[in-house]
Structure formats: structure tokens, C-alpha cells
Amino acid sequence: MEYGEFPLSDKEFSRIRERVYRIAGISLSDAKRTLVISRLSKLVRALGLTGFSAYVDYLEARGNADDDQNFVNALTTNLTRFFREDHHFDHLVAHVGELMENRPRVRGGRPRLRIWSAGCSTGQEPYTIALCLLDAFPELKRWDFRILATDIDSNVVAKAATGVYPVSELNGLSRERVALFEKAGPDTIRIPAAARQTIAFKLLNLIGPWPVKGPFDAIFCRNVAIYFDKPTQGVLFNRLGQVLAPGGFLYIGHSENLQAVSSGFRLVGKTVYQRKAVSDARDAA
Ligand SMILES: C[S@@+](CC[C@H](N)C(=O)[O-])C[C@H]1O[C@@H](n2cnc3c(N)ncnc32)[C@H](O)[C@@H]1O
């Protein structure tokens, strides 16, 4: 244990596990004990409490919405990067292109394209989507093209909305990809305004109510469901299927799959699924 950390008994660990599962759907394995101690000790200390029992008692009896938010923020894992699992962006560009050619022009209105980055962390995923699509299809600037980017962690949503990152975030990217970003300062880069303007960042708990307007043409929900158990994953992916347009694409993380989790999709690429048409889903049932 590091200096300033509190000891965590089995009982305290199971109370914390139960609470984060109930609030956020996150299943903490035994391997996460050290992480729980290091991340939550700071909150316990800031509240002037004596340890984890007192902390959970406090959350249960007197904690407010900010305390719950801080608790969840501390226990999420937010690892992400620009162009992570980049074959998904190539697939999207290829298929949105087909979709754009076929989409009827709405009389008096602009053609519509909607994408959801569900579990967007600090924003690299939705910004990569926007940068790739605007680069491949500059005409999207005249479309009703919007990306909804949501996360349960208020700190990452706030950081994402700034659109500014350390230049080190571009390490390992090709010259063409680096050219999609703007220089902001000596050590920082900025997402160009055209890409920023397509994205709305919002706080949203995927296991709570969804105030979202579908249908979406594509949903990215990558490296989020790995923190959930199978029943929670099943509910999540079935709900995502309901807000995805028939034929729309669902992109999931490289270590995730929908086998035995949801039957409303067909696998069409490496961790790329397509929502079945209503009639296909009925035939398969
Ligand atoms: C590892 S990051 C993945 C980021 C990005 N999708 C990617 O693949 O690079 C997982 C994100 O899921 C979010 N998350 C976890 N539980 C959530 C929930 N119940 N509702 C919404 N977001 C959640 C976390 O806050 C975290 O930012």
C-alpha cells in the first residue's frame, strides 16, 4: 500500500463493488482491489473520513450527486487514443460513402447522417470519426451531420469538449493523419473547428435512461462493455440495436463479441456488426 492509502477489507471491497455495479454496470474483478484503493483513497481523505467503511456509509446516508459522480469517475478506465483500431474508420468511410450515394435528398432539408460514440472517454474516438469522414467527404459540411459523444465520467466529457490535446497524442500516426490536426501551442494540438462543430458531448450512463434521438447510421461502443457482465452486455447491445437504423453499423472493441449476447446483428467484418432488418430478425427467431 502506498503512503496515504487506506486498507480495504473484503467486506468494504464487496460494498464498493456492489455500488459501482448498481450505478454504472461496472463489474470489478478481484484483480481491481489495488486500483480501488489507489483511486478511492484520495476521495476518502478529501472528505476527512477514517476509511472505506466510513466512506460507503457516508455515500449511502449523506452523499449527494457530486459524491456519486466522483465515486464513478474514480472507478472508470478511460484508456483511448486517436485512430485506435483504425480498420473501423476505414470501414465506416467505405460504407458511409455507399450510404451517402443512396440516401435520398430530403426536399427543402439537408440529408441526415447520425453517429453515436457511446463511451467516448476523452474524445479521441468521436474526433477520429469526424476527421476521417470530413476528410473523405467534404460535402458532409453541408449535410445535417451530427455525432453524439457520451460517457458516464464527467471529467472525461469536460476534457473531450476542449478539443485540445498534448502533441504526444499524435505519436505513431502517419504524416497524412497528423495533417488532419491543427497546432494549438508549442506542445499542444487542436481539433479543427469543422470537426468540433459536428460533435455534441454529453454525460450519459449507458445503463440508465437514454435521452437520445435515433436512428443512428453507425454506433461505436468500443472497449466499454468489457467492464460489464454478460447480462448487462445483452441489455446494452439490444438497446443499441433499437436506436440503430436497420442496416446501420455497430463497432465494438477488439476483445468483445456479440455471440450469445445479442441476436439482432450480423457480423460483417472484424468486430463490425450490422443491424439486421426487422424481417431478417423475425425469420431467425
Ligand atoms: C476504455 S474507455 C473506451 C474509450 C473509447 N470507446 C475507445 O475504445 O477508445 C471506456 C469508457 O467507458 C466509459 N463507461 C464505463 N461505464 C459506462 C457507463 N455505464 N455508461 C457510459 N460510459 C461508461 C468509461 O467512463 C470510459 O471512458
Side-chain angles (χ1 to χ4, degrees):
M1 217 163 41
E2 303 276 319
Y3 174 77
E5 290 181 344
F6 295 96
L8 179 70
S9 70
D10 289 348
K11 174 137 187 263
E12 289 166 336
F13 186 43
S14 67
R15 286 179 78 192
I16 287 165
R17 259 180 165 168
E18 189 275 325
R19 190 170 180 84
V20 74
Y21 180 73
R22 183 161 37 81
I23 297 177
I26 295 173
S27 292
L28 292 176
S29 69
D30 279 328
K32 296 286 163 69
R33 275 187 92 109
T34 336
L35 176 141
V36 166
I37 295 174
S38 68
R39 303 249 188 107
L40 291 183
S41 283
K42 286 184 212 117
L43 296 178
V44 176
R45 224 176 18 255
L47 289 163
L49 299 168
T50 52
F52 289 114
S53 290
Y55 176 57
V56 186
D57 288 346
Y58 166 84
L59 290 178
E60 284 171 2
R62 293 180 287 132
N64 57 29
D66 284 348
D67 293 313
D68 275 340
Q69 187 68 61
N70 292 337
F71 171 75
V72 169
N73 287 359
L75 294 177
T76 55
T77 300
N78 310 117
L79 185 79
T80 188
R81 63 177 183 276
F82 291 111
F83 289 92
R84 181 181 196 180
E85 295 167 45
D86 62 355
H87 62 101
H88 285 159
F89 306 102
D90 296 339
H91 181 277
L92 180 68
V93 166
H95 290 80
V96 157
E98 289 164 21
L99 196 151
M100 285 174 65
E101 276 164 26
N102 300 332
R103 184 142 297 187
R105 303 279 143 167
V106 185
R107 200 163 5 129
R110 295 176 301 162
R112 180 180 182 281
L113 186 69
R114 289 284 182 278
I115 297 177
W116 184 8
S117 165
C120 65
S121 187
T122 37
Q124 288 86 336
E125 178 178 278
Y127 285 131
T128 305
I129 300 170
L131 292 169
C132 287
L133 288 180
L134 289 170
D135 185 52
F137 308 105
E139 65 270 35
L140 272 175
K141 290 188 188 132
R142 296 184 296 277
W143 281 47
D144 175 13
F145 166 42
R146 305 283 301 149
I147 300 173
L148 173 67
T150 63
D151 202 283
I152 196 174
D153 181 334
S154 58
N155 291 335
V156 295
V157 172
K159 181 167 186 334
T162 66
V164 175
Y165 298 87
V167 72
S168 57
E169 291 265 344
L170 304 185
N171 289 349
L173 296 188
S174 67
R175 210 184 265 252
E176 293 76 44
R177 287 179 175 174
V178 169
L180 298 171
F181 298 82
E182 281 175 8
K183 198 170 165 56
D187 302 316
T188 51
I189 49 116
R190 186 189 303 111
I191 308 298
R196 267 187 287 127
Q197 283 155 8
T198 62
I199 306 178
F201 286 100
K202 304 258 187 253
L203 197 60
L204 183 143
N205 182 353
L206 286 169
I207 69 154
W210 295 354
V212 302
K213 271 208 211 96
F216 294 95
D217 299 292
I219 299 177
F220 284 66
C221 188
R222 309 186 309 161
N223 309 300
V224 179
I226 31 164
Y227 302 103
F228 299 164
D229 60 14
K230 288 282 172 203
T232 310
Q233 290 182 11
V235 173
L236 170 65
F237 288 121
N238 286 331
R239 286 178 78 193
L240 289 176
Q242 286 161 18
V243 293
L244 189 60
F249 295 102
L250 172 68
Y251 299 91
I252 66 173
H254 64 287
S255 60
E256 301 163 334
N257 74 74
L258 297 191
Q259 222 185 343
V261 170
S262 178
S263 58
F265 302 91
R266 79 166 62 81
L267 184 66
V268 293
K270 194 172 145 208
T271 53
V272 183
Y273 290 80
Q274 187 167 31
R275 197 194 128 179
K276 291 178 183 167
V278 179
S279 55
D280 294 359
R282 217 185 297 120
D283 295 346

